[in-house]
Amino acid sequence: MYKYFEGVTSSATTLNFSALQWGDAEALALAKVLPRYACVAELDLSKNRIASDGMKAIADAVNVIPSLTFIDVSGSFIDDKSMNTVGNAVLSSSVSKLGAFKCDAFH
């Protein structure tokens, strides 16, 4: 099973976790394993209940994934502080190539 997990994490380009009713606890758990997804380009966390603590953890993980170019958190509980956290993390990162961050504030 470990070899299968390693194979999936090393080759997945899209992660869709939309509408799973995830909150900060699930986002924190995802953030711990997200750096293993070395090829992921798109991360869909839309329509969940992720708030400030979860987005901070995701923002920290984004900094070490150079392939990630798109995150969707629309329909979630993202506040201005969380958006600033992600924005600052991306801007200060030397590896991040995040080009699109979709959330309700940017509609």
Side-chain angles (χ1 to χ4, degrees):
M1 183 164 178
Y2 180 77
K3 285 186 179 190
Y4 174 77
F5 177 75
E6 286 297 315
V8 169
T9 58
S10 65
S11 62
T13 58
T14 301
L15 298 176
N16 185 345
F17 300 112
S18 178
L20 297 176
Q21 301 302 311
W22 279 10
D24 285 343
E26 291 83 6
L28 291 166
L30 175 62
K32 288 180 183 178
V33 298
L34 199 53
R36 290 178 167 243
Y37 290 86
C39 295
V40 70
E42 297 182 13
L43 176 61
D44 187 349
L45 296 169
S46 64
K47 300 175 187 163
N48 280 294
R49 298 175 179 190
I50 302 168
S52 296
D53 291 341
M55 281 311 300
K56 166 105 175 66
I58 295 296
D60 291 343
V62 165
N63 281 334
V64 297
I65 307 172
S67 60
L68 188 61
T69 59
F70 176 79
I71 298 176
D72 184 352
V73 293
S74 59
S76 293
F77 297 150
I78 308 302
D79 57 13
D80 290 344
K81 180 180 175 184
S82 299
M83 287 188 290
N84 283 334
T85 298
V86 173
N88 288 333
V90 170
L91 290 174
S92 66
S93 173
S94 61
V95 298
S96 178
K97 294 179 184 168
L98 189 66
F101 180 71
K102 183 178 179 183
C103 67
D104 295 326
F106 300 127
H107 282 250

